[in-house]
Amino acid sequence: RVSAFDYILPNLIPFKGQVLNMISEWAFEQTKDIIPNACCPSVDPSVVVQRKMKNLNVELIVRGYLWGSMAASYEKGDRTFCGLSVPDGLIRFQKFDTPIFTPTTKAEVGHDENMTMDEVEKLVGKDMAAQAKDAAMKLYHRGCELMKQRGLILLDTKYEFGTDAQGKLHVIDEVNTPDSSRLCTVEEWET
Protein backbone atom coordinates (compact mmCIF):
# COMPACT_ATOMS: atom_id res chain seq x y z
CA ARG A 1 0.00 0.00 0.00
CA VAL A 2 1.24 3.47 -0.87
CA SER A 3 -0.51 6.38 0.81
CA ALA A 4 0.00 10.09 1.25
CA PHE A 5 -2.08 12.30 3.54
CA ASP A 6 -4.64 9.50 4.10
CA TYR A 7 -5.09 8.94 0.33
CA ILE A 8 -4.18 5.49 -0.98
CA LEU A 9 -2.35 5.85 -4.28
CA PRO A 10 -3.44 3.50 -7.08
CA ASN A 11 0.01 2.71 -8.51
CA LEU A 12 2.63 0.62 -6.80
CA ILE A 13 6.24 1.76 -6.73
CA PRO A 14 8.64 -0.99 -7.86
CA PHE A 15 11.05 -2.12 -5.11
CA LYS A 16 9.60 0.44 -2.65
CA GLY A 17 9.88 -1.99 0.26
CA GLN A 18 13.48 -2.84 -0.50
CA VAL A 19 14.46 0.82 -0.82
CA LEU A 20 12.69 1.76 2.42
CA ASN A 21 14.37 -1.16 4.22
CA MET A 22 17.79 -0.03 2.97
CA ILE A 23 17.12 3.54 4.11
CA SER A 24 15.93 2.27 7.50
CA GLU A 25 18.98 0.06 7.98
CA TRP A 26 21.26 3.01 7.10
CA ALA A 27 19.38 5.34 9.49
CA PHE A 28 19.51 2.80 12.34
CA GLU A 29 23.26 2.47 11.81
CA GLN A 30 23.64 6.28 12.00
CA THR A 31 21.74 6.52 15.30
CA LYS A 32 22.69 3.38 17.22
CA ASP A 33 24.90 5.46 19.54
CA ILE A 34 21.81 7.41 20.65
CA ILE A 35 19.41 4.54 21.31
CA PRO A 36 19.35 0.83 20.47
CA ASN A 37 16.91 -0.32 17.81
CA ALA A 38 14.86 -3.48 17.55
CA CYS A 39 16.20 -4.59 14.15
CA CYS A 40 17.87 -7.93 13.65
CA PRO A 41 20.33 -8.59 10.81
CA SER A 42 18.61 -8.52 7.41
CA VAL A 43 17.55 -11.89 6.01
CA ASP A 44 16.24 -10.52 2.71
CA PRO A 45 16.07 -7.03 1.13
CA SER A 46 12.26 -7.15 1.25
CA VAL A 47 12.00 -8.23 4.88
CA VAL A 48 12.60 -6.52 8.20
CA VAL A 49 12.97 -8.72 11.26
CA GLN A 50 12.75 -7.14 14.71
CA ARG A 51 13.08 -8.36 18.25
CA LYS A 52 9.79 -8.43 20.12
CA MET A 53 9.22 -5.24 22.09
CA LYS A 54 6.44 -3.81 24.20
CA ASN A 55 5.20 -0.78 22.23
CA LEU A 56 4.81 2.45 24.22
CA ASN A 57 1.79 3.22 21.98
CA VAL A 58 2.76 6.86 21.60
CA GLU A 59 4.01 8.58 18.46
CA LEU A 60 6.76 10.95 19.51
CA ILE A 61 6.77 13.79 17.01
CA VAL A 62 9.48 16.41 16.86
CA ARG A 63 8.85 19.52 14.79
CA GLY A 64 11.56 21.94 13.75
CA TYR A 65 9.28 23.97 11.48
CA LEU A 66 5.67 25.09 11.37
CA TRP A 67 4.34 22.66 8.82
CA GLY A 68 1.71 20.00 8.18
CA SER A 69 -1.42 19.69 10.30
CA MET A 70 0.09 22.01 12.89
CA ALA A 71 0.45 24.80 10.31
CA ALA A 72 -3.16 24.33 9.18
CA SER A 73 -4.41 24.58 12.79
CA TYR A 74 -2.13 27.54 13.48
CA GLU A 75 -3.54 29.38 10.46
CA LYS A 76 -7.04 28.84 11.90
CA GLY A 77 -5.97 30.55 15.13
CA ASP A 78 -4.78 27.68 17.35
CA ARG A 79 -1.75 28.61 19.45
CA THR A 80 -1.56 25.67 21.86
CA PHE A 81 -0.35 22.28 20.67
CA CYS A 82 0.15 19.31 22.97
CA GLY A 83 0.13 21.71 25.93
CA LEU A 84 2.78 23.98 24.40
CA SER A 85 2.13 27.62 23.52
CA VAL A 86 3.31 28.80 20.13
CA PRO A 87 3.74 32.56 19.56
CA ASP A 88 1.68 34.71 17.21
CA GLY A 89 3.17 35.95 13.97
CA LEU A 90 4.60 32.72 12.57
CA ILE A 91 4.20 31.74 8.92
CA ARG A 92 3.92 28.32 7.33
CA PHE A 93 7.33 26.69 6.88
CA GLN A 94 8.92 28.94 9.53
CA LYS A 95 11.69 27.42 11.62
CA PHE A 96 11.04 27.29 15.36
CA ASP A 97 13.72 28.78 17.61
CA THR A 98 13.96 25.36 19.24
CA PRO A 99 12.39 22.12 17.94
CA ILE A 100 9.17 21.25 19.75
CA PHE A 101 7.89 17.92 21.01
CA THR A 102 4.28 17.12 20.07
CA PRO A 103 3.37 13.53 21.00
CA THR A 104 0.21 11.85 19.77
CA THR A 105 -1.76 8.72 20.45
CA LYS A 106 -1.07 5.73 18.24
CA ALA A 107 -4.56 5.27 16.81
CA GLU A 108 -5.49 1.86 15.43
CA VAL A 109 -8.21 3.49 13.32
CA GLY A 110 -8.71 7.10 12.27
CA HIS A 111 -6.40 9.95 13.17
CA ASP A 112 -3.95 10.13 16.04
CA GLU A 113 -4.84 12.61 18.78
CA ASN A 114 -2.49 15.18 20.28
CA MET A 115 -1.21 14.46 23.80
CA THR A 116 0.42 16.61 26.46
CA MET A 117 3.60 15.49 28.18
CA ASP A 118 1.51 14.90 31.32
CA GLU A 119 -0.69 12.48 29.36
CA VAL A 120 2.38 10.65 28.03
CA GLU A 121 3.73 10.39 31.59
CA LYS A 122 0.43 8.92 32.82
CA LEU A 123 0.49 6.36 30.01
CA VAL A 124 4.11 5.17 30.23
CA GLY A 125 5.45 6.60 33.49
CA LYS A 126 7.37 9.79 34.18
CA ASP A 127 10.86 8.30 33.77
CA MET A 128 10.04 6.41 30.56
CA ALA A 129 8.34 9.50 29.09
CA ALA A 130 11.44 11.59 29.83
CA GLN A 131 13.73 8.94 28.29
CA ALA A 132 11.57 8.72 25.17
CA LYS A 133 11.38 12.50 24.74
CA ASP A 134 15.14 12.84 25.21
CA ALA A 135 15.82 10.10 22.66
CA ALA A 136 13.34 11.64 20.18
CA MET A 137 15.00 15.05 20.44
CA LYS A 138 18.49 13.55 20.00
CA LEU A 139 17.33 11.49 17.00
CA TYR A 140 15.80 14.60 15.44
CA HIS A 141 19.01 16.61 15.90
CA ARG A 142 21.05 13.79 14.36
CA GLY A 143 18.58 13.60 11.49
CA CYS A 144 18.93 17.35 10.89
CA GLU A 145 22.73 16.99 10.72
CA LEU A 146 22.56 14.05 8.31
CA MET A 147 19.97 15.70 6.06
CA LYS A 148 21.88 18.99 5.95
CA GLN A 149 24.92 17.10 4.58
CA ARG A 150 22.67 16.05 1.69
CA GLY A 151 21.10 19.46 1.01
CA LEU A 152 17.86 18.58 2.82
CA ILE A 153 15.92 19.95 5.78
CA LEU A 154 14.16 17.65 8.22
CA LEU A 155 10.97 19.62 8.89
CA ASP A 156 9.38 17.17 11.28
CA THR A 157 9.33 13.48 12.01
CA LYS A 158 7.82 10.84 14.26
CA TYR A 159 9.38 8.09 16.30
CA GLU A 160 7.99 4.99 17.92
CA PHE A 161 9.61 3.34 20.91
CA GLY A 162 9.21 0.13 22.83
CA THR A 163 10.89 -1.70 25.65
CA ASP A 164 12.61 -5.07 25.71
CA ALA A 165 12.04 -7.75 28.35
CA GLN A 166 14.40 -5.89 30.74
CA GLY A 167 12.50 -2.60 30.29
CA LYS A 168 15.23 -0.94 28.18
CA LEU A 169 13.99 1.61 25.66
CA HIS A 170 14.50 0.89 21.93
CA VAL A 171 13.39 2.65 18.76
CA ILE A 172 11.04 0.20 17.02
CA ASP A 173 10.13 1.95 13.76
CA GLU A 174 12.01 3.86 11.10
CA VAL A 175 14.17 6.84 12.04
CA ASN A 176 14.24 10.06 9.98
CA THR A 177 13.16 8.32 6.77
CA PRO A 178 10.93 9.75 4.02
CA ASP A 179 8.25 7.34 5.26
CA SER A 180 8.10 8.92 8.73
CA SER A 181 9.31 12.46 8.07
CA ARG A 182 8.67 15.59 6.08
CA LEU A 183 11.69 16.82 4.19
CA CYS A 184 12.45 19.55 1.70
CA THR A 185 15.56 20.78 -0.05
CA VAL A 186 17.45 23.70 1.45
CA GLU A 187 16.92 25.48 -1.87
CA GLU A 188 13.13 25.01 -1.67
CA TRP A 189 13.00 26.35 1.90
CA GLU A 190 15.13 29.40 1.06
CA THR A 191 12.87 30.50 -1.84
Side-chain angles (χ1 to χ4, degrees), residues 32-89:
K32 67 183 182 183
D33 62 313
I34 296 171
I35 185 170
N37 62 72
C39 277
C40 297
S42 180
V43 295
D44 182 274
S46 298
V47 176
V48 172
V49 178
Q50 291 191 321
R51 290 182 299 282
K52 187 172 177 76
M53 300 281 159
K54 181 181 176 195
N55 193 325
L56 295 186
N57 289 317
V58 176
E59 293 199 346
L60 297 113
I61 300 167
V62 181
R63 301 172 184 272
Y65 297 76
L66 182 62
W67 191 242
S69 60
M70 184 179 192
S73 295
Y74 184 89
E75 289 166 351
K76 291 177 185 171
D78 291 345
R79 295 295 182 269
T80 303
F81 300 91
C82 302
L84 303 173
S85 295
V86 179
D88 288 327

Side-chain angles (χ1 to χ4, degrees), residues 178-189:
D179 220 26
S180 63
S181 309
R182 281 178 245 215
L183 304 145
C184 73
T185 64
V186 171
E187 181 182 346
E188 178 186 5
W189 187 78

Side-chain angles (χ1 to χ4, degrees), residues 6 10-11 23 46 52 63 67 71 84 93 111 117 130 142 144 169 180:
D6 298 328
N11 299 323
I23 292 169
S46 298
K52 187 172 177 76
R63 301 172 184 272
W67 191 242
L84 303 173
F93 237 147
H111 293 283
M117 190 60 178
R142 176 69 54 81
C144 288
L169 192 66
S180 63

